[in-house]
Every structure is written in structure tokens, then in C-alpha cells.
Amino acid sequence: VNQAAGTQIPVGTNSGRTEGPIQSPSHDFVGNQTYTSELIVVTTNGCIASTQRQVSSQGLVVVPEEGILNEFDNVFDAGWSPEPNNPVNSWVLSNGHDYPENNNMWWTGADGGTYYDLEDSYISSPCYDLNALTKPMVHFDLFYDAQESQDGLVLQYSIDGTTWENIGSNDFGIEWFNETGIAARPGDAPNNSNASGSGWTGQSTGLVNARFNLNQIPQGNRNKVQFRMAFASDGGLSEGSAGFDNFFIGNKEREVLLESFIDDAVADATFASQSTQTVRESQITNGAGYTDAIVLEYHVNVVEPADDYYSFNPDDSRMRQAFYGVNQVPSIYMDGMFYTDSSMVQQDTIALDVRGLTDPEFDIQITPVNNAEPDIIRFEITVEALQDMTNVPLQLNVAMIENISGG
């Protein structure tokens, strides 16, 4: 139908959800659904041509502080939907390929249980508002069995629905990307979004739980964040598949304890103290805006003259020193695991982040109790086991620390 420029769509069209100029209308889609859109072109000579494409409408999901879990119990669970970059897309939602213990999961099995040759597809999420998250992360169950170095998949994010970036990189996170240079470059189209060809390829050790922080998403642009899992294959062997389930978006919950044993009379120990603080602070300044670390510093007496801080309070330091069996400085422990050297700040910052991505074993709440006695501090401690601790010997240690010392 030919219409004069500026002609408005009649009021009430599609229950009032379609409006604006007829040449460039806007439509308010209802809920998370997939629609068939059709473009029809009529030339001045009366020739007609048309094309159709599936378009998914995805609403805004506000992620609460406690996070949100997508278990994919139905096709439109939380608004995730497959969208091809070319005519083939093997993403299906069913009960899990070789993992019957799972309910539904998204996996690339539409071509008789495997993916297609020359596939370039993805499954995309709705937009998420992440502003309630202070230490954002994702984790999900993942498997992959794809032609090594040729085919693979990658997780990406976008803040505008057009430009996509890989989340993380190789050798970081937990069970994260295992290769750079995948030939099919999953998620690269249409804007060279994965020119490095990073992602997962080859064969996973069964179903793994992949985890990574979301620090790279600019803090000022976390109100509309979309994720997509992209898959691509070349024209060679395609006999495997890949898939994911239980996609969680939320906060990192573990607080990581860094304990440093030093002696001010030992130069290396003093340097270790500075490095430990640098590890903590570098996580804050390098984009995270937070730290996973709680730093405790114990001054011990290894050489004479005695460290001034040790002389002021020797008993507490000696007890902790004996607990770990520390006989040299510097000695540094991360959640009870021994680190002999804290001079490699970048490496230890990565280790701190990875430890912070793991689930905590306990929820510990400390509540001050009102007390009229000026020299006594009283508090209540509630400890809840978040994992099975049957027959596990437990010991609770309480430490009082000063954030600033001197004077």
C-alpha cells in the first residue's frame, strides 16, 4: 500500500501497541516471545518481493542481590532463545544429551544429535539489570564435544544489543575458555566480536561448572546487559555437540582470608607485606571496585631485635604461628593454603579472584551486643553450614583486628 510520507498508523492498531509513521513504525511486544517478521518490498513497477525472519522479544529482568538462576524448564524460560546468523541453527532445548540427570538444557543437537557443518549460531538471553550486584559473576553447567581447534563455543555480553564482547579469556576463571585460535571463530559475526577465536573446544571432562566474574562490564552500563552463547563450526567433521544448563547470575559470596606472617627486621618479609596489600588493592583498582580479600598480618619474632608490633602483642601471633607451623618469613596463606612468595602480584590477584568465585562452605554472621562495660566487647556469632559437613572436624577462630595502627 502506498502512503504519503508522514502518514501515521491508525490509533488502536494491535490494541494500541503499534504507532508512529507508517514508514518507520514502533511496536510494543508483549512478554518473551518469538515472532515471524516479514519485509515486503513493492517496486514502482508493481513487482513484489518478501523475506521473513524469526525475531525474539526479550524483556528486562532485574537481578536481585541474591542472584537469579535459569534452569531452562521450558522453551522461553527467562527469555532465552536461539537466533541464527545463517540459515542453520542446531540449538535445541531437551533433557540433556548424555546427561539424563539434568532436566532441560540448551545444546547443539538438532542435526540428529549433533551440530551442523558451517554453523554460526547463538542462543541469547533477555536484558538484565545488574545494578543490585556488587560483586557480579556468572556460573553454569557446561559440556562440549567439538572438533578440537576447529569448532567451539563462547560466552559473550552486550550493552547495546549490537556490539558483543567475550566474557573473560583463557587461563582465568574456573573451567573457562581453553583455547585461542578456534578456526570457526564462534560469536565473531557480524562485527568481528571474536577475532581471536577464543572459547571452548575439544572435549570437556563431562559436565563441568564454568565460572567467571563480570568485572569487565562497565559499572555505568549494567542496567541493560544481554548474554549470548555462540557456537560455530567449519565444514569438516561435526559429530559432537555442546550445551549448558543452570545459568546463574549473581554475586560472588566467598570472603577470602589472606594471612601474612612477617618480621619487620627481615627485608623480604616487609616486601611481602606490601605485596599482599597490593594484591588486595589491585583487585579494587583494576575494574572490580571491590576486593574478595580479608587481610590479616601477624608480626612474629624470627631475628633480633624483636619486631615492635610483635613485642606489643606476642601471644596472638605465636598461637597462629604455631597453628600453621610457620618457621620462616615471609609466609603467606590464602584460606589456609600456603604461598611462599607474594612478589608476583598479577598471579596472586588471579588466584584471589578464582578463590572468590568458589562457593563458601559457611555463612557466618557476627552481631554486636549492647554492653555497658567500656573495656569489654560482646557479640553473637551465627554459623550456618552451606555444604555437608557431616563428620568434618570444625574449629571456630575469632580475631579482632585494627584497620589502622600507629600513634
Side-chain angles (χ1 to χ4, degrees):
V1 179
N2 293 320
Q3 296 284 350
T7 301
Q8 297 292 306
I9 290 175
V11 176
T13 300
N14 294 320
S15 301
R17 296 195 305 274
T18 306
E19 59 184 13
I22 200 165
Q23 285 83 6
S24 56
S26 64
H27 180 77
D28 182 16
F29 291 93
V30 178
N32 299 319
Q33 300 183 44
T34 298
Y35 300 86
T36 300
S37 62
E38 183 176 23
L39 174 65
I40 302 174
V41 178
V42 181
T43 70
T44 55
N45 296 325
C47 296
I48 301 175
S50 66
T51 184
Q52 293 183 343
R53 177 168 178 175
Q54 297 292 107
V55 177
S56 297
S57 70
Q58 299 162 325
L60 178 67
V61 179
V62 179
V63 180
E65 185 178 356
E66 62 270 21
I68 189 169
L69 175 65
N70 298 293
E71 296 179 300
F72 307 124
D73 290 331
N74 57 72
V75 174
F76 295 109
D77 181 26
W80 289 72
S81 60
E83 298 183 26
N85 280 332
N86 64 30
V88 295
N89 186 328
S90 64
W91 287 103
V92 293
L93 186 67
S94 64
N95 59 345
H97 185 45
D98 292 330
Y99 303 100
E101 70 273 13
N102 285 274
N103 294 319
N104 288 340
M105 70 187 310
W106 283 106
W107 64 292
T108 57
D111 188 20
T114 187
Y115 53 86
Y116 296 104
D117 290 337
L118 299 176
E119 181 168 346
D120 180 14
S121 64
Y122 57 88
I123 176 169
S124 58
S125 78
C127 287
Y128 291 102
D129 184 339
L130 308 181
N131 282 327
L133 304 180
T134 55
K135 301 167 66 174
M137 67 169 290
V138 293
H139 69 71
F140 48 89
D141 296 329
L142 171 74
F143 81 90
Y144 47 93
D145 182 8
Q147 186 181 10
E148 188 167 1
S149 301
Q150 304 300 310
D151 309 336
L153 69 164
V154 67
L155 182 67
Q156 300 176 318
Y157 82 92
S158 175
I159 58 176
D160 60 12
T162 301
T163 304
W164 295 88
E165 293 188 28
N166 294 350
I167 294 178
S169 56
N170 295 28
D171 302 322
F172 295 85
I174 298 175
E175 295 288 352
W176 210 246
F177 303 158
N178 62 355
E179 186 162 324
T180 296
I182 299 173
R185 300 202 313 204
D188 192 48
N191 300 315
N192 294 322
S193 301
N194 189 13
S196 65
S198 297
W200 295 279
T201 187
Q203 191 172 52
S204 64
T205 55
L207 197 65
V208 298
N209 188 250
R211 297 173 175 241
F212 212 93
N213 68 63
L214 297 178
N215 300 341
Q216 73 188 84
I217 303 176
Q219 293 187 32
N221 298 105
R222 294 181 179 177
N223 60 324
K224 291 182 180 179
V225 180
Q226 191 174 15
F227 300 97
R228 73 176 185 182
M229 188 73 76
F231 183 86
S233 63
D234 63 7
L237 182 68
S238 58
E239 295 182 349
S241 60
F244 68 101
D245 194 9
N246 300 318
F247 195 96
F248 174 80
I249 308 167
N251 277 315
K252 298 165 75 175
E253 296 184 340
R254 176 181 283 275
E255 302 285 350
V256 182
L257 182 61
L258 283 180
E259 297 176 280
S260 176
F261 293 84
I262 69 169
D263 184 338
D264 279 348
V266 179
D268 288 346
T270 303
F271 174 74
S273 172
Q274 296 170 347
S275 296
T276 303
Q277 293 295 337
T278 301
V279 167
R280 175 184 176 277
E281 293 167 4
S282 67
Q283 194 178 34
I284 299 174
T285 58
N286 290 341
Y290 64 84
T291 181
D292 295 313
I294 298 174
V295 178
L296 293 182
E297 191 169 271
Y298 304 97
H299 288 253
V300 296
N301 184 211
V302 176
V303 299
E304 297 295 340
D307 184 308
D308 288 341
Y309 287 101
Y310 169 82
S311 299
F312 179 74
N313 182 24
D315 293 341
D316 290 335
S317 294
R318 279 202 299 253
M319 289 178 62
R320 200 61 174 169
Q321 182 181 7
F323 176 81
Y324 281 124
V326 173
N327 55 21
Q328 66 178 23
V329 291
S331 288
I332 300 166
Y333 291 78
M334 179 182 293
D335 277 354
M337 297 177 288
F338 182 51
Y339 281 73
T340 57
D341 184 8
S342 185
S343 61
M344 300 185 67
V345 173
Q346 181 180 8
Q347 177 179 324
D348 289 348
T349 303
I350 295 170
L352 174 61
D353 173 68
V354 169
R355 185 65 179 169
L357 288 168
T358 61
D359 292 330
E361 289 86 1
F362 299 93
D363 177 34
I364 302 175
Q365 300 293 331
I366 302 176
T367 306
V369 176
N370 291 332
N371 180 56
E373 301 172 80
D375 297 327
I376 298 177
I377 298 176
R378 300 183 187 276
F379 49 85
E380 293 180 352
I381 300 176
T382 303
V383 180
E384 179 186 359
L386 303 178
Q387 301 178 22
D388 185 7
M389 293 294 166
T390 305
N391 299 323
V392 177
L394 301 174
Q395 177 178 319
L396 178 65
N397 296 308
V398 179
M400 291 184 60
I401 61 174
E402 287 183 294
N403 286 331
I404 300 176
S405 62

